[in-house]
Amino acid sequence: MAVNVPGVIVMVVFYLLVLGTGIWASFKSKSKQKKSGATGMEMVLLGNRSINLVVGVFTMTATWVGGAFIGGTVEMVYTPSMGLTWALLLLLAYSTSFIIGGLVVAKAMRDRNCVTMLDPFQIKYGKVITAGLSLVSLLLDLLWLPSTLIGLGGTMSVVLDLSFTVCVWISAAVVIIYTLMGGLYSVAYTDIIQLVLIFSSLSICVPFVMMSPHTLDISQTLMNNTLHPPWIGQPELKKIWIMIDDFLFLTLGNLAYQCFHQRILSASSLATAKITCFAASVLIFLFGIPLILFGAAAASTDWNQTSYGSPSPYERGEAAMILPIALQHLTPTFISIIGTACVAAAVMSSADSVLLSAASVFTNNIYKNILRPQASDRESRWVIWASVVASGVVGSSLTNLKNSIITFVLLGVEMAYVIVFPELVCVLFFNISNGYGAAIGWLVGFVLRLLSGEPSLGLEPVLHFPGCTLEDGVYVQYSPVKTISMLSTIAAILLFSYLASVLFNKGVLPEKWDVFKVKAQHSPVPLSPVGGTIEEKE
């Protein structure tokens, strides 16, 4: 198969359009900075907290409607063990996550005048705990980036017949360049173009896939085992706790990502931040509908009659590539090119946010507040740029693993749910929490989750919760082990925080052993960024 020259030309034009928008936004950012007198770091990371409602809705939605969301949702519907059931669960979880974020989290973070979601830990727990949680946050972003780039590399390599590696690195390079130039402004304004392209491309591609002469009526294959197992999935009663567990961890785990908090902190007002969350909760569900139809059509296709041939992608172990395979073999060439542009837009809309998120955490919470508190604004900006490049290189390198998109996504969200989310809840809403509880809670949640086993990582369960059964030589946990681990983390944080507070305040343990200064700890107060460094208001 020769290189798809028209497709390459279209992709070059698209990349130039996005790059041009990013460059224009960088000039707009510099102009805004001169007028407002904001620091360079505040402008790059938060857009001087002046992102309006329309731009905010676009960038919040586009961040989640990424390559992993598009490719992962289609793969989920096509995979018999998941199907429509798990796809709807994913969409409902994401929508609910934004609603909870707008109702509960937005005010708590904005009242503290944070720069990143790690700032409350910095002021309350100190450097050690914050450094550990910052590294976890960075790892979450580095897992998110390959999950979205894999979708693009797979699509472009199948449709355009280009090298997977070349596609990934060129796309990463474009994202890195415009993110370096304009920071959040470039990210937000390019998200507008990308989201519009995603919507228009899906509107064009999905009808062609569904009307392919090789595709049956999806209503007939929903619950019938015809060419492929029913695409409704396997909603068995014994899996009800697993479904509840997955819903909760997808819902609450998303609140532990810096990308989300960066959007609500950059909004021009609290009301804008809340409305942004509510609007995104509706839009992300709407964007999921055509992806479900796409996956259903792929599951209803007689692949033996297509140029792909038999056996089907699922039987060949290529379910993770079902999106580009369907575009290539079920649609005309020009439609498959449009679909590729859609995936590219989705990838960029998430990748730029992830890069800026990682740079924010490293620069503000590790470099500026731990390694070099005396760093100037100019030095901090250089660190941001270096962090963007480093994150892009590391995240792009992980695509060589070529795991399933879903594996990367679920692994990252699970870490966020079991470790970061409980810590965030306690530091924001429980005055009793302190560094001792945070450290022990982190350890308890992590160890408990590992002992519960994880099939995707090849970990056999050591702890067998009620309902754990041996199926085909593998132990399957039917209890909500993720939620049990998360709740155990919260319980451990609060219990050991209380014990440490009592032991030091009652004089049972000498004050010289109090490394986290529990005895002298004040109630949490708002944070105020002073020259980029978080200080406590007196």
Side-chain angles (χ1 to χ4, degrees):
M1 179 179 173
V3 173
N4 188 333
V5 177
V8 173
I9 294 174
V10 170
M11 295 309 298
V12 169
V13 172
F14 166 69
Y15 281 159
L16 290 175
L17 175 62
V18 172
L19 190 58
T21 303
I23 294 172
W24 169 81
S26 70
F27 285 111
K28 183 179 179 67
S29 173
K30 292 174 183 176
S31 175
K32 288 269 189 180
Q33 183 182 349
K34 289 180 181 178
K35 292 179 181 179
S36 64
T39 63
M41 186 172 168
E42 182 94 351
M43 200 71 199
V44 172
L45 300 184
L46 295 177
N48 197 30
R49 304 182 194 268
S50 60
I51 300 298
N52 62 44
L53 178 60
V54 174
V55 176
V57 170
F58 270 97
T59 189
M60 179 72 89
T61 307
T63 298
W64 262 258
V65 182
F69 177 82
I70 288 179
T73 303
V74 174
E75 178 188 349
M76 202 172 277
V77 176
Y78 179 71
T79 303
S81 60
M82 295 183 173
L84 176 64
T85 305
W86 254 259
L88 287 176
L89 184 143
L90 173 73
L91 296 178
L92 287 171
Y94 279 178
S95 293
T96 306
S97 178
F98 285 124
I99 293 172
I100 294 174
L103 291 175
V104 180
V105 180
K107 187 176 189 305
M109 293 298 290
R110 289 184 64 90
D111 283 352
R112 288 167 168 78
N113 206 24
C114 300
V115 176
T116 74
M117 72 172 186
L118 278 304
D119 288 350
F121 299 97
Q122 188 85 41
I123 192 66
K124 192 172 185 182
Y125 298 160
K127 297 180 179 180
V128 177
I129 300 296
T130 305
L133 289 172
S134 296
L135 292 176
V136 175
S137 178
L138 289 174
L139 182 58
L140 296 181
D141 288 332
L142 292 179
L143 286 173
W144 191 349
L145 188 57
S147 72
T148 193
L149 288 173
I150 285 173
L152 175 61
T155 302
M156 292 181 70
S157 62
V158 170
V159 176
L160 304 183
D161 199 31
L162 294 174
S163 165
F164 177 93
T165 304
V166 170
C167 297
V168 167
W169 283 99
I170 290 177
S171 303
V174 173
V175 173
I176 289 172
I177 290 172
Y178 73 72
T179 304
L180 286 176
M181 295 188 68
L184 186 65
Y185 257 81
S186 288
V187 169
Y189 279 93
T190 53
D191 280 347
I192 296 176
I193 289 181
Q194 290 155 356
L195 198 63
V196 170
L197 181 59
I198 293 169
F199 177 78
S200 56
S201 298
L202 287 176
S203 300
I204 294 172
C205 293
V206 171
F208 275 90
V209 174
M210 295 184 68
M211 292 187 295
S212 168
H214 312 303
T215 301
L216 301 180
D217 183 350
I218 62 173
S219 64
Q220 296 177 4
T221 57
L222 173 64
M223 303 182 70
N224 297 317
N225 193 348
T226 51
L227 302 171
H228 185 83
W231 58 271
I232 193 174
Q234 299 175 358
E236 302 173 71
L237 184 61
K238 66 179 181 179
K239 292 184 178 180
I240 187 66
W241 283 112
I242 295 179
M243 295 178 65
I244 293 173
D245 196 25
D246 286 345
F247 176 80
L248 290 174
F249 105 85
L250 287 169
T251 300
L252 303 178
N254 278 311
L255 298 176
Y257 278 87
Q258 164 61 15
C259 286
F260 170 76
H261 296 279
Q262 197 154 33
R263 268 64 197 162
I264 62 176
L265 291 171
S266 64
S268 56
S269 67
L270 175 60
T272 298
K274 288 184 174 183
I275 296 173
T276 295
C277 292
F278 301 149
S281 72
V282 176
L283 289 175
I284 198 165
F285 195 90
L286 294 178
F287 271 91
I289 294 175
L291 299 176
I292 289 175
L293 296 176
F294 195 111
S300 306
T301 296
D302 185 353
W303 291 99
N304 190 42
Q305 295 183 14
T306 70
S307 54
Y308 182 83
S310 185
S312 69
Y314 177 73
E315 293 169 321
R316 296 189 196 185
E318 296 182 346
M321 299 287 288
I322 188 60
L323 174 63
I325 289 173
L327 285 173
Q328 177 70 5
H329 298 283
L330 299 180
T331 66
T333 301
F334 70 95
I335 295 299
S336 66
I337 294 173
I338 293 175
T340 304
C342 168
V343 176
V347 166
M348 289 185 166
S349 68
S350 286
D352 52 15
S353 301
V354 171
L355 293 179
L356 193 61
S357 168
S360 302
V361 170
F362 179 80
T363 305
N364 187 67
N365 298 107
I366 296 179
Y367 190 84
K368 181 70 175 172
N369 285 318
I370 296 176
L371 301 179
R372 275 184 58 82
Q374 71 274 23
S376 64
D377 184 63
R378 181 180 178 83
E379 181 181 343
S380 297
R381 277 183 289 170
W382 277 104
V383 175
I384 292 172
W385 294 334
S387 302
V388 168
V389 174
S391 300
V393 170
V394 173
S396 301
S397 299
L398 290 176
T399 58
N400 292 326
L401 299 177
K402 294 186 180 180
N403 288 48
S404 165
I405 295 171
I406 296 174
T407 301
F408 275 113
V409 172
L410 297 186
L411 181 60
V413 179
E414 192 162 333
M415 288 180 59
Y417 182 53
V418 174
I419 298 176
V420 183
F421 173 73
E423 299 281 3
L424 189 63
V425 168
C426 290
V427 78
L428 290 178
F429 303 109
F430 293 92
N431 290 340
I432 191 62
S433 66
N434 56 48
Y436 300 102
I440 296 175
W442 183 358
L443 182 63
V444 167
F446 180 72
V447 171
L448 184 59
R449 186 62 192 95
L450 283 181
L451 295 178
S452 301
E454 179 52 53
S456 63
L457 299 178
L459 295 176
E460 291 288 332
V462 176
L463 297 176
H464 291 193
F465 290 95
C468 183
T469 57
L470 185 64
E471 297 181 1
D472 299 324
V474 178
Y475 280 102
V476 179
Q477 299 272 24
Y478 284 100
S479 294
V481 293
K482 304 181 190 73
T483 300
I484 290 172
S485 300
M486 182 273 290
L487 293 176
S488 298
T489 302
I490 292 180
I493 293 171
L494 298 180
L495 174 61
F496 286 98
S497 292
Y498 175 76
L499 289 176
S501 180
V502 169
L503 291 175
F504 284 113
N505 285 304
K506 297 291 186 180
V508 177
L509 294 178
E511 189 173 349
K512 63 181 180 181
W513 291 2
D514 187 9
V515 295
F516 289 116
K517 309 299 179 187
V518 169
K519 192 169 183 178
Q521 181 175 297
H522 301 290
S523 296
V525 292
L527 304 180
S528 177
V530 180
T533 301
I534 299 300
E535 295 183 355
E536 182 174 342
K537 290 183 178 179
E538 298 295 330

